[in-house]
Amino acid sequence: MTEDATIHKSKRFSNGFLGPSKTAATNAEVPVPWSRFSAWLECVCVVTFDLELGQAIELVYPHDVKLTEKEKTSICYLSFPDSYSGCLGDTQFSFRLRQSVGRSSSWFGHEDAYNRDAPVTLQKEHAHFHGYVYFRQVKDASVKRGYFQKSLVVVSRLPFGNLFHSLLQVIAPEYFEKHEPCLETVCNEIDQWPAPVPGQTLNLPVMGVVMQFTSWIFLSEFYTAVLIDLHVIRCFQSVLIHMQMLWELMLLGEPVVVMAPSPTVSSETVLALVSAIAPLRYCGDYRPYFTIHDSEFKEYTTRTQAPPNVILGVTNPFFIKTFHCWPHIIRLGDLKMSGDLPKQVKVKKLAKLKTLDTKTGIYTAYKTFLHKDKSFIKRLLKGIQKKRPSEVQSAILRRHLLEQTESFILPLERYLESLMPPQRSMSPWKTPPQIRSFSQDEFMKTLEQAGPQLTLKGDWTGLYRRFFRSPNFDGWYRLRHREMTQKVECLHLEAICAADLLTWNKDKSEVEIVDLILKLREKLVTRKHQLPVKEELLEKLEQSIQTIISSLPEDLQTLLHRQ
């Protein structure tokens, strides 16, 4: 995860209720109803078990939220652990579902501003929802089935797992006691929160508790922060000796199934795997918790084609038979942190994955391109033996994965820089020069002089060639090419602003001058909305346009001012 959520509790009153927060700021402006709420959440749902209907949505806030029937059905099934998990008491986990075709975000203008400044791993999703679940199952003699079963679900486009799970820890127990009035109050409080801003620490009050939230701009800041995600080392404790393999599988976007004993283990492990290649964005699909009722079940389990580039977290033993043809399957046990050295699972042949009582292990025929970093593995295992704090162990692991990914990406970034046209080729009187095409062979030649800086030995060339065929390379290259194109446009705009347009204007016809003005206006409007251009540059260009217009005859001035 790449966000930090800290809870600060205000004074509790003697009757046990949470006291009101004193940090809620008053605002002179009256915002549009639910506009601030939608900057964080799509909706909050209560899912219950109905004897006749099965899982059903009991309540949704805001009441007018537009969820399709397909989305509602998916939320219902994904909000309950399956019967094999045997989850008693309170359970938290997360899921991710594909939104229905044709719907749009309710965040409007905030979306572009937030995503433009946020790191790719923290950006708001356009095509998927994240669901964060607090499920309670306790014995209740007043219920026919003998158990109270209900889930409180926060649905958002933002991948803020730490924040939303912390939020649920505050509001869910209160909701299960006080029901709908409590939930309405919470939603109204969230509607007073300021919108998320990358790099800023925000105090978010709810039910007498202040949650301090930071959405980091630089991953290095996050990984060296004191407060970090405590679950990473727990997720990987039984596979530490195979971290190199898991990192490569994520880097290459390979199809992976995580079979876990509970949705908590499943979702935490899938999210930990996806984040293992940060700051590179994982561009395949991933489902922290996946069930046989999922709308994509048939799509992902067909045997007529190769498995898709997706990571699935499952708990139903039925999937062992369904996914036996998948190339990489991780079978996990319960995640329990103890002072003892956790037993490391073995890599096994896929042919052994046949029975429902299949033992824990990584079932794959994959051979890593790079050798293991034995000294690093030894350091982590020794830390467990010496009872090193989990947060420190997680920080060590995160830092190692970050440095390995950055070392892999750095040669690619250097090569991309060489594809940029030189700044001296920017002419205000010509269209911007083209960025040179990416050549895999040309890049490979650069590795001899500027390859990865890590001391890890192995087939780096083979790893890069395999990476070029992955969805992660495609996603990374598309993003970087778009950023490079924007940079070229900005440099071209700077060249225009630095040019002496009035001197150029002297020996040109009125038709040519008007054509120039119209083109400059179009560029001005486009750049204001699409490019991170300095305001002073845009103001200078606007002044130049007005100066040129003032040099024209009055009839043309009037015509141009009307447009």
Side-chain angles (χ1 to χ4, degrees), residues 394-450:
S394 288
I396 292 172
L397 178 55
R398 285 289 198 189
R399 172 59 61 183
H400 172 81
L401 294 171
L402 175 67
E403 289 177 351
Q404 188 160 308
T405 303
E406 287 183 333
S407 181
F408 179 84
I409 292 297
L410 186 58
L412 288 163
E413 293 286 356
R414 286 174 179 159
Y415 175 67
L416 279 191
E417 289 178 10
S418 72
L419 303 180
M420 283 284 290
Q423 191 163 356
R424 63 178 180 274
S425 65
M426 297 289 173
S427 170
W429 321 119
K430 298 179 181 178
T431 57
Q434 295 293 310
I435 299 168
R436 289 198 301 118
S437 299
F438 189 102
S439 168
Q440 295 183 17
D441 292 335
E442 189 177 71
F443 166 74
M444 290 300 181
K445 293 176 182 178
T446 68
L447 293 179
E448 297 176 6
Q449 299 296 326

Side-chain angles (χ1 to χ4, degrees), residues 205-245:
V206 60
M207 295 182 66
V209 168
V210 179
M211 296 188 298
Q212 196 173 76
F213 172 78
T214 303
S215 172
W216 301 95
I217 292 181
F218 302 108
L219 290 176
S220 57
E221 291 179 358
F222 172 75
Y223 291 132
T224 55
V226 176
L227 294 164
I228 58 175
D229 187 352
L230 302 182
H231 301 307
V232 179
I233 194 68
R234 185 176 70 179
C235 292
F236 293 138
Q237 63 172 334
S238 65
V239 293
L240 289 176
I241 62 173
H242 306 299
M243 282 310 303
Q244 181 59 44
M245 174 189 286

